PDB file of all heavy atoms in Angstrom:
ATOM      1  N   GLY A 154      18.408 -11.636  16.699  1.00  0.00           N
ATOM      2  CA  GLY A 154      17.191 -11.010  17.292  1.00  0.00           C
ATOM      3  C   GLY A 154      16.672  -9.927  16.431  1.00  0.00           C
ATOM      4  O   GLY A 154      17.426  -9.362  15.616  1.00  0.00           O
ATOM      5  N   VAL A 155      15.404  -9.645  16.579  1.00  0.00           N
ATOM      6  CA  VAL A 155      14.765  -8.583  15.762  1.00  0.00           C
ATOM      7  C   VAL A 155      14.019  -7.656  16.776  1.00  0.00           C
ATOM      8  O   VAL A 155      13.250  -8.109  17.591  1.00  0.00           O
ATOM      9  CB  VAL A 155      13.787  -9.111  14.741  1.00  0.00           C
ATOM     10  CG1 VAL A 155      13.105  -7.955  14.030  1.00  0.00           C
ATOM     11  CG2 VAL A 155      14.512  -9.974  13.728  1.00  0.00           C
ATOM     12  N   GLY A 156      14.349  -6.380  16.738  1.00  0.00           N
ATOM     13  CA  GLY A 156      13.669  -5.408  17.631  1.00  0.00           C
ATOM     14  C   GLY A 156      13.138  -4.204  16.887  1.00  0.00           C
ATOM     15  O   GLY A 156      13.363  -4.014  15.707  1.00  0.00           O
ATOM     16  N   PHE A 157      12.421  -3.418  17.616  1.00  0.00           N
ATOM     17  CA  PHE A 157      11.865  -2.194  17.043  1.00  0.00           C
ATOM     18  C   PHE A 157      12.951  -1.245  16.571  1.00  0.00           C
ATOM     19  O   PHE A 157      14.092  -1.289  17.063  1.00  0.00           O
ATOM     20  CB  PHE A 157      11.044  -1.417  18.065  1.00  0.00           C
ATOM     21  CG  PHE A 157       9.826  -2.133  18.551  1.00  0.00           C
ATOM     22  CD1 PHE A 157       9.603  -2.432  19.871  1.00  0.00           C
ATOM     23  CD2 PHE A 157       8.830  -2.573  17.605  1.00  0.00           C
ATOM     24  CE1 PHE A 157       8.476  -3.129  20.287  1.00  0.00           C
ATOM     25  CE2 PHE A 157       7.706  -3.243  18.019  1.00  0.00           C
ATOM     26  CZ  PHE A 157       7.540  -3.530  19.374  1.00  0.00           C
ATOM     27  N   LEU A 158      12.639  -0.400  15.595  1.00  0.00           N
ATOM     28  CA  LEU A 158      13.616   0.575  15.123  1.00  0.00           C
ATOM     29  C   LEU A 158      13.978   1.545  16.248  1.00  0.00           C
ATOM     30  O   LEU A 158      13.070   2.235  16.775  1.00  0.00           O
ATOM     31  CB  LEU A 158      12.991   1.382  13.962  1.00  0.00           C
ATOM     32  CG  LEU A 158      13.807   2.607  13.467  1.00  0.00           C
ATOM     33  CD1 LEU A 158      15.060   2.180  12.801  1.00  0.00           C
ATOM     34  CD2 LEU A 158      12.910   3.445  12.547  1.00  0.00           C
ATOM     35  N   PRO A 159      15.230   1.659  16.688  1.00  0.00           N
ATOM     36  CA  PRO A 159      15.630   2.630  17.684  1.00  0.00           C
ATOM     37  C   PRO A 159      15.441   4.032  17.136  1.00  0.00           C
ATOM     38  O   PRO A 159      15.617   4.283  15.910  1.00  0.00           O
ATOM     39  CB  PRO A 159      17.101   2.319  17.965  1.00  0.00           C
ATOM     40  CG  PRO A 159      17.326   0.918  17.447  1.00  0.00           C
ATOM     41  CD  PRO A 159      16.390   0.775  16.281  1.00  0.00           C
ATOM     42  N   GLY A 160      15.035   4.982  18.008  1.00  0.00           N
ATOM     43  CA  GLY A 160      14.785   6.290  17.503  1.00  0.00           C
ATOM     44  C   GLY A 160      14.818   7.324  18.605  1.00  0.00           C
ATOM     45  O   GLY A 160      15.204   7.061  19.732  1.00  0.00           O
ATOM     46  N   PRO A 161      14.373   8.549  18.279  1.00  0.00           N
ATOM     47  CA  PRO A 161      14.480   9.613  19.262  1.00  0.00           C
ATOM     48  C   PRO A 161      13.401   9.640  20.329  1.00  0.00           C
ATOM     49  O   PRO A 161      13.382  10.546  21.157  1.00  0.00           O
ATOM     50  CB  PRO A 161      14.313  10.897  18.357  1.00  0.00           C
ATOM     51  CG  PRO A 161      13.498  10.390  17.181  1.00  0.00           C
ATOM     52  CD  PRO A 161      13.924   8.981  16.976  1.00  0.00           C
ATOM     53  N   SER A 162      12.521   8.659  20.341  1.00  0.00           N
ATOM     54  CA  SER A 162      11.518   8.533  21.373  1.00  0.00           C
ATOM     55  C   SER A 162      11.347   7.086  21.794  1.00  0.00           C
ATOM     56  O   SER A 162      11.853   6.171  21.143  1.00  0.00           O
ATOM     57  CB  SER A 162      10.155   9.090  20.866  1.00  0.00           C
ATOM     58  OG  SER A 162       9.539   8.143  19.993  1.00  0.00           O
ATOM     59  N   ASP A 163      10.650   6.895  22.886  1.00  0.00           N
ATOM     60  CA  ASP A 163      10.439   5.499  23.340  1.00  0.00           C
ATOM     61  C   ASP A 163       9.138   4.938  22.789  1.00  0.00           C
ATOM     62  O   ASP A 163       8.665   3.902  23.329  1.00  0.00           O
ATOM     63  CB  ASP A 163      10.475   5.426  24.865  1.00  0.00           C
ATOM     64  CG  ASP A 163       9.415   6.314  25.516  1.00  0.00           C
ATOM     65  OD1 ASP A 163       8.613   6.921  24.813  1.00  0.00           O
ATOM     66  OD2 ASP A 163       9.409   6.426  26.786  1.00  0.00           O
ATOM     67  N   GLN A 164       8.554   5.553  21.825  1.00  0.00           N
ATOM     68  CA  GLN A 164       7.295   5.061  21.170  1.00  0.00           C
ATOM     69  C   GLN A 164       7.733   4.143  20.034  1.00  0.00           C
ATOM     70  O   GLN A 164       8.299   4.582  19.071  1.00  0.00           O
ATOM     71  CB  GLN A 164       6.480   6.194  20.650  1.00  0.00           C
ATOM     72  CG  GLN A 164       5.301   5.788  19.793  1.00  0.00           C
ATOM     73  CD  GLN A 164       4.225   4.996  20.583  1.00  0.00           C
ATOM     74  OE1 GLN A 164       3.980   5.281  21.699  1.00  0.00           O
ATOM     75  NE2 GLN A 164       3.640   4.006  19.897  1.00  0.00           N
ATOM     76  N   PRO A 165       7.488   2.837  20.121  1.00  0.00           N
ATOM     77  CA  PRO A 165       7.881   1.917  19.039  1.00  0.00           C
ATOM     78  C   PRO A 165       6.955   2.060  17.851  1.00  0.00           C
ATOM     79  O   PRO A 165       6.005   1.297  17.674  1.00  0.00           O
ATOM     80  CB  PRO A 165       7.757   0.551  19.698  1.00  0.00           C
ATOM     81  CG  PRO A 165       6.697   0.717  20.735  1.00  0.00           C
ATOM     82  CD  PRO A 165       6.844   2.152  21.251  1.00  0.00           C
ATOM     83  N   ALA A 166       7.220   3.040  17.020  1.00  0.00           N
ATOM     84  CA  ALA A 166       6.354   3.264  15.847  1.00  0.00           C
ATOM     85  C   ALA A 166       7.224   3.554  14.624  1.00  0.00           C
ATOM     86  O   ALA A 166       8.363   4.044  14.791  1.00  0.00           O
ATOM     87  CB  ALA A 166       5.433   4.483  16.113  1.00  0.00           C
ATOM     88  N   ALA A 167       6.697   3.269  13.502  1.00  0.00           N
ATOM     89  CA  ALA A 167       7.439   3.472  12.271  1.00  0.00           C
ATOM     90  C   ALA A 167       6.507   3.869  11.146  1.00  0.00           C
ATOM     91  O   ALA A 167       5.300   3.637  11.177  1.00  0.00           O
ATOM     92  CB  ALA A 167       8.254   2.205  11.840  1.00  0.00           C
ATOM     93  N   GLN A 168       7.052   4.455  10.084  1.00  0.00           N
ATOM     94  CA  GLN A 168       6.292   4.829   8.908  1.00  0.00           C
ATOM     95  C   GLN A 168       6.303   3.627   7.952  1.00  0.00           C
ATOM     96  O   GLN A 168       7.173   2.781   8.006  1.00  0.00           O
ATOM     97  CB  GLN A 168       6.865   6.037   8.250  1.00  0.00           C
ATOM     98  CG  GLN A 168       6.749   7.289   9.097  1.00  0.00           C
ATOM     99  CD  GLN A 168       7.474   8.500   8.580  1.00  0.00           C
ATOM    100  OE1 GLN A 168       8.431   8.298   7.828  1.00  0.00           O
ATOM    101  NE2 GLN A 168       7.146   9.686   9.015  1.00  0.00           N
ATOM    102  N   VAL A 169       5.353   3.621   7.048  1.00  0.00           N
ATOM    103  CA  VAL A 169       5.171   2.481   6.105  1.00  0.00           C
ATOM    104  C   VAL A 169       6.178   2.461   4.998  1.00  0.00           C
ATOM    105  O   VAL A 169       6.491   3.514   4.416  1.00  0.00           O
ATOM    106  CB  VAL A 169       3.752   2.517   5.531  1.00  0.00           C
ATOM    107  CG1 VAL A 169       3.584   1.584   4.394  1.00  0.00           C
ATOM    108  CG2 VAL A 169       2.738   2.121   6.627  1.00  0.00           C
ATOM    109  N   GLY A 170       6.693   1.301   4.702  1.00  0.00           N
ATOM    110  CA  GLY A 170       7.469   1.060   3.500  1.00  0.00           C
ATOM    111  C   GLY A 170       6.749   0.025   2.650  1.00  0.00           C
ATOM    112  O   GLY A 170       5.745  -0.543   3.061  1.00  0.00           O
ATOM    113  N   GLY A 171       7.325  -0.253   1.474  1.00  0.00           N
ATOM    114  CA  GLY A 171       6.674  -1.222   0.623  1.00  0.00           C
ATOM    115  C   GLY A 171       5.939  -0.588  -0.544  1.00  0.00           C
ATOM    116  O   GLY A 171       6.445   0.452  -1.069  1.00  0.00           O
ATOM    117  N   ALA A 172       4.818  -1.111  -0.978  1.00  0.00           N
ATOM    118  CA  ALA A 172       4.152  -0.612  -2.159  1.00  0.00           C
ATOM    119  C   ALA A 172       2.666  -0.849  -2.074  1.00  0.00           C
ATOM    120  O   ALA A 172       2.180  -1.618  -1.209  1.00  0.00           O
ATOM    121  CB  ALA A 172       4.720  -1.219  -3.423  1.00  0.00           C
ATOM    122  N   ALA A 173       1.949  -0.216  -3.055  1.00  0.00           N
ATOM    123  CA  ALA A 173       0.488  -0.338  -3.068  1.00  0.00           C
ATOM    124  C   ALA A 173       0.056  -0.648  -4.496  1.00  0.00           C
ATOM    125  O   ALA A 173       0.857  -0.541  -5.477  1.00  0.00           O
ATOM    126  CB  ALA A 173      -0.194   0.940  -2.625  1.00  0.00           C
ATOM    127  N   LEU A 174      -1.193  -1.047  -4.647  1.00  0.00           N
ATOM    128  CA  LEU A 174      -1.759  -1.397  -5.951  1.00  0.00           C
ATOM    129  C   LEU A 174      -2.448  -0.118  -6.520  1.00  0.00           C
ATOM    130  O   LEU A 174      -3.319   0.490  -5.833  1.00  0.00           O
ATOM    131  CB  LEU A 174      -2.751  -2.528  -5.804  1.00  0.00           C
ATOM    132  CG  LEU A 174      -2.114  -3.864  -5.373  1.00  0.00           C
ATOM    133  CD1 LEU A 174      -3.155  -4.783  -4.711  1.00  0.00           C
ATOM    134  CD2 LEU A 174      -1.511  -4.558  -6.543  1.00  0.00           C
ATOM    135  N   TRP A 175      -2.076   0.224  -7.750  1.00  0.00           N
ATOM    136  CA  TRP A 175      -2.582   1.384  -8.425  1.00  0.00           C
ATOM    137  C   TRP A 175      -3.354   0.926  -9.685  1.00  0.00           C
ATOM    138  O   TRP A 175      -2.881   0.019 -10.408  1.00  0.00           O
ATOM    139  CB  TRP A 175      -1.464   2.302  -8.833  1.00  0.00           C
ATOM    140  CG  TRP A 175      -0.698   2.925  -7.675  1.00  0.00           C
ATOM    141  CD1 TRP A 175       0.228   2.271  -6.902  1.00  0.00           C
ATOM    142  CD2 TRP A 175      -0.785   4.253  -7.179  1.00  0.00           C
ATOM    143  NE1 TRP A 175       0.754   3.139  -5.985  1.00  0.00           N
ATOM    144  CE2 TRP A 175       0.150   4.346  -6.111  1.00  0.00           C
ATOM    145  CE3 TRP A 175      -1.545   5.367  -7.532  1.00  0.00           C
ATOM    146  CZ2 TRP A 175       0.355   5.506  -5.411  1.00  0.00           C
ATOM    147  CZ3 TRP A 175      -1.316   6.536  -6.838  1.00  0.00           C
ATOM    148  CH2 TRP A 175      -0.396   6.604  -5.785  1.00  0.00           C
ATOM    149  N   ILE A 176      -4.416   1.598 -10.038  1.00  0.00           N
ATOM    150  CA  ILE A 176      -5.228   1.242 -11.229  1.00  0.00           C
ATOM    151  C   ILE A 176      -5.021   2.328 -12.286  1.00  0.00           C
ATOM    152  O   ILE A 176      -5.544   3.437 -12.117  1.00  0.00           O
ATOM    153  CB  ILE A 176      -6.668   1.055 -10.893  1.00  0.00           C
ATOM    154  CG1 ILE A 176      -6.895  -0.031  -9.855  1.00  0.00           C
ATOM    155  CG2 ILE A 176      -7.488   0.699 -12.157  1.00  0.00           C
ATOM    156  CD1 ILE A 176      -8.314  -0.238  -9.434  1.00  0.00           C
ATOM    157  N   PRO A 177      -4.324   2.039 -13.399  1.00  0.00           N
ATOM    158  CA  PRO A 177      -4.159   3.027 -14.414  1.00  0.00           C
ATOM    159  C   PRO A 177      -5.523   3.394 -15.109  1.00  0.00           C
ATOM    160  O   PRO A 177      -6.417   2.546 -15.247  1.00  0.00           O
ATOM    161  CB  PRO A 177      -3.238   2.364 -15.441  1.00  0.00           C
ATOM    162  CG  PRO A 177      -2.503   1.324 -14.621  1.00  0.00           C
ATOM    163  CD  PRO A 177      -3.481   0.842 -13.589  1.00  0.00           C
ATOM    164  N   ALA A 178      -5.667   4.636 -15.457  1.00  0.00           N
ATOM    165  CA  ALA A 178      -6.873   5.099 -16.129  1.00  0.00           C
ATOM    166  C   ALA A 178      -6.703   4.869 -17.651  1.00  0.00           C
ATOM    167  O   ALA A 178      -5.708   4.403 -18.099  1.00  0.00           O
ATOM    168  CB  ALA A 178      -7.085   6.595 -15.842  1.00  0.00           C
ATOM    169  N   ASP A 179      -7.790   5.224 -18.391  1.00  0.00           N
ATOM    170  CA  ASP A 179      -7.758   5.134 -19.832  1.00  0.00           C
ATOM    171  C   ASP A 179      -7.672   3.747 -20.428  1.00  0.00           C
ATOM    172  O   ASP A 179      -7.374   3.557 -21.581  1.00  0.00           O
ATOM    173  CB  ASP A 179      -6.692   6.005 -20.438  1.00  0.00           C
ATOM    174  CG  ASP A 179      -6.803   7.478 -20.050  1.00  0.00           C
ATOM    175  OD1 ASP A 179      -7.951   7.949 -19.939  1.00  0.00           O
ATOM    176  OD2 ASP A 179      -5.741   8.141 -19.798  1.00  0.00           O
ATOM    177  N   LYS A 180      -7.894   2.748 -19.555  1.00  0.00           N
ATOM    178  CA  LYS A 180      -7.903   1.353 -20.021  1.00  0.00           C
ATOM    179  C   LYS A 180      -9.347   0.915 -20.254  1.00  0.00           C
ATOM    180  O   LYS A 180      -9.555  -0.238 -20.743  1.00  0.00           O
ATOM    181  CB  LYS A 180      -7.185   0.415 -19.041  1.00  0.00           C
ATOM    182  CG  LYS A 180      -5.763   0.785 -18.710  1.00  0.00           C
ATOM    183  CD  LYS A 180      -4.857   0.715 -19.914  1.00  0.00           C
ATOM    184  CE  LYS A 180      -4.644  -0.719 -20.297  1.00  0.00           C
ATOM    185  NZ  LYS A 180      -3.663  -0.812 -21.437  1.00  0.00           N
ATOM    186  N   GLY A 181     -10.277   1.740 -19.901  1.00  0.00           N
ATOM    187  CA  GLY A 181     -11.681   1.351 -20.106  1.00  0.00           C
ATOM    188  C   GLY A 181     -12.269   0.923 -18.735  1.00  0.00           C
ATOM    189  O   GLY A 181     -11.651   0.405 -17.843  1.00  0.00           O
ATOM    190  N   ASP A 182     -13.636   1.120 -18.630  1.00  0.00           N
ATOM    191  CA  ASP A 182     -14.308   0.792 -17.414  1.00  0.00           C
ATOM    192  C   ASP A 182     -14.264  -0.692 -17.085  1.00  0.00           C
ATOM    193  O   ASP A 182     -14.162  -1.107 -15.898  1.00  0.00           O
ATOM    194  CB  ASP A 182     -15.806   1.179 -17.531  1.00  0.00           C
ATOM    195  CG  ASP A 182     -16.004   2.696 -17.502  1.00  0.00           C
ATOM    196  OD1 ASP A 182     -15.028   3.455 -17.068  1.00  0.00           O
ATOM    197  OD2 ASP A 182     -17.089   3.186 -17.842  1.00  0.00           O
ATOM    198  N   VAL A 183     -14.300  -1.562 -18.096  1.00  0.00           N
ATOM    199  CA  VAL A 183     -14.271  -2.978 -17.853  1.00  0.00           C
ATOM    200  C   VAL A 183     -12.935  -3.402 -17.306  1.00  0.00           C
ATOM    201  O   VAL A 183     -12.845  -4.208 -16.336  1.00  0.00           O
ATOM    202  CB  VAL A 183     -14.595  -3.762 -19.143  1.00  0.00           C
ATOM    203  CG1 VAL A 183     -14.385  -5.258 -18.943  1.00  0.00           C
ATOM    204  CG2 VAL A 183     -16.055  -3.507 -19.579  1.00  0.00           C
ATOM    205  N   ALA A 184     -11.816  -2.864 -17.851  1.00  0.00           N
ATOM    206  CA  ALA A 184     -10.491  -3.233 -17.411  1.00  0.00           C
ATOM    207  C   ALA A 184     -10.325  -2.742 -15.956  1.00  0.00           C
ATOM    208  O   ALA A 184      -9.726  -3.474 -15.154  1.00  0.00           O
ATOM    209  CB  ALA A 184      -9.480  -2.588 -18.338  1.00  0.00           C
ATOM    210  N   SER A 185     -10.753  -1.533 -15.677  1.00  0.00           N
ATOM    211  CA  SER A 185     -10.591  -1.031 -14.327  1.00  0.00           C
ATOM    212  C   SER A 185     -11.409  -1.868 -13.345  1.00  0.00           C
ATOM    213  O   SER A 185     -10.954  -2.122 -12.230  1.00  0.00           O
ATOM    214  CB  SER A 185     -11.084   0.443 -14.237  1.00  0.00           C
ATOM    215  OG  SER A 185     -10.242   1.292 -15.060  1.00  0.00           O
ATOM    216  N   ALA A 186     -12.592  -2.253 -13.757  1.00  0.00           N
ATOM    217  CA  ALA A 186     -13.442  -3.087 -12.877  1.00  0.00           C
ATOM    218  C   ALA A 186     -12.764  -4.429 -12.580  1.00  0.00           C
ATOM    219  O   ALA A 186     -12.791  -4.973 -11.472  1.00  0.00           O
ATOM    220  CB  ALA A 186     -14.809  -3.273 -13.512  1.00  0.00           C
ATOM    221  N   ALA A 187     -12.168  -4.999 -13.647  1.00  0.00           N
ATOM    222  CA  ALA A 187     -11.503  -6.271 -13.486  1.00  0.00           C
ATOM    223  C   ALA A 187     -10.278  -6.148 -12.612  1.00  0.00           C
ATOM    224  O   ALA A 187      -9.994  -6.995 -11.745  1.00  0.00           O
ATOM    225  CB  ALA A 187     -11.064  -6.802 -14.879  1.00  0.00           C
ATOM    226  N   ALA A 188      -9.487  -5.076 -12.765  1.00  0.00           N
ATOM    227  CA  ALA A 188      -8.349  -4.819 -11.914  1.00  0.00           C
ATOM    228  C   ALA A 188      -8.786  -4.697 -10.452  1.00  0.00           C
ATOM    229  O   ALA A 188      -8.136  -5.215  -9.528  1.00  0.00           O
ATOM    230  CB  ALA A 188      -7.623  -3.597 -12.368  1.00  0.00           C
ATOM    231  N   TRP A 189      -9.903  -3.964 -10.220  1.00  0.00           N
ATOM    232  CA  TRP A 189     -10.387  -3.777  -8.842  1.00  0.00           C
ATOM    233  C   TRP A 189     -10.798  -5.090  -8.278  1.00  0.00           C
ATOM    234  O   TRP A 189     -10.617  -5.326  -7.045  1.00  0.00           O
ATOM    235  CB  TRP A 189     -11.525  -2.791  -8.841  1.00  0.00           C
ATOM    236  CG  TRP A 189     -12.146  -2.623  -7.520  1.00  0.00           C
ATOM    237  CD1 TRP A 189     -13.407  -3.023  -7.125  1.00  0.00           C
ATOM    238  CD2 TRP A 189     -11.552  -2.081  -6.322  1.00  0.00           C
ATOM    239  NE1 TRP A 189     -13.638  -2.733  -5.829  1.00  0.00           N
ATOM    240  CE2 TRP A 189     -12.540  -2.154  -5.271  1.00  0.00           C
ATOM    241  CE3 TRP A 189     -10.307  -1.505  -6.054  1.00  0.00           C
ATOM    242  CZ2 TRP A 189     -12.243  -1.701  -3.986  1.00  0.00           C
ATOM    243  CZ3 TRP A 189     -10.049  -1.081  -4.756  1.00  0.00           C
ATOM    244  CH2 TRP A 189     -10.984  -1.160  -3.769  1.00  0.00           C
ATOM    245  N   LYS A 190     -11.333  -5.979  -9.032  1.00  0.00           N
ATOM    246  CA  LYS A 190     -11.769  -7.274  -8.541  1.00  0.00           C
ATOM    247  C   LYS A 190     -10.581  -8.035  -7.926  1.00  0.00           C
ATOM    248  O   LYS A 190     -10.659  -8.696  -6.888  1.00  0.00           O
ATOM    249  CB  LYS A 190     -12.451  -8.090  -9.644  1.00  0.00           C
ATOM    250  CG  LYS A 190     -13.148  -9.357  -9.189  1.00  0.00           C
ATOM    251  CD  LYS A 190     -13.805 -10.100 -10.332  1.00  0.00           C
ATOM    252  CE  LYS A 190     -14.545 -11.318  -9.904  1.00  0.00           C
ATOM    253  NZ  LYS A 190     -15.740 -10.988  -9.087  1.00  0.00           N
ATOM    254  N   PHE A 191      -9.430  -7.956  -8.613  1.00  0.00           N
ATOM    255  CA  PHE A 191      -8.216  -8.621  -8.125  1.00  0.00           C
ATOM    256  C   PHE A 191      -7.688  -7.912  -6.894  1.00  0.00           C
ATOM    257  O   PHE A 191      -7.170  -8.539  -5.936  1.00  0.00           O
ATOM    258  CB  PHE A 191      -7.161  -8.687  -9.193  1.00  0.00           C
ATOM    259  CG  PHE A 191      -5.951  -9.486  -8.833  1.00  0.00           C
ATOM    260  CD1 PHE A 191      -6.099 -10.771  -8.255  1.00  0.00           C
ATOM    261  CD2 PHE A 191      -4.652  -8.974  -9.060  1.00  0.00           C
ATOM    262  CE1 PHE A 191      -4.961 -11.505  -7.944  1.00  0.00           C
ATOM    263  CE2 PHE A 191      -3.542  -9.697  -8.753  1.00  0.00           C
ATOM    264  CZ  PHE A 191      -3.685 -11.001  -8.177  1.00  0.00           C
ATOM    265  N   VAL A 192      -7.738  -6.581  -6.896  1.00  0.00           N
ATOM    266  CA  VAL A 192      -7.332  -5.824  -5.681  1.00  0.00           C
ATOM    267  C   VAL A 192      -8.145  -6.235  -4.479  1.00  0.00           C
ATOM    268  O   VAL A 192      -7.618  -6.426  -3.360  1.00  0.00           O
ATOM    269  CB  VAL A 192      -7.464  -4.297  -5.952  1.00  0.00           C
ATOM    270  CG1 VAL A 192      -7.244  -3.503  -4.646  1.00  0.00           C
ATOM    271  CG2 VAL A 192      -6.508  -3.801  -7.020  1.00  0.00           C
TER     272      VAL A 192
END
């Protein structure tokens, strides 16, 4: 079975894990625009 994270309150809430997409600078406007298109 899978349940909510047990904790110090009865509010079933959690903080985010995982990762996000970041766009490096200094690659040029065209490269940043292309990266954003994929994002």
Side-chain angles (χ1 to χ4, degrees):
V155 177
F157 296 122
L158 171 70
S162 76
D163 59 4
Q164 171 67 37
Q168 296 169 339
V169 166
L174 295 157
W175 298 75
I176 301 178
D179 300 324
K180 303 296 290 185
D182 289 344
V183 172
S185 295
W189 175 247
K190 190 178 182 70
F191 187 48
V192 172

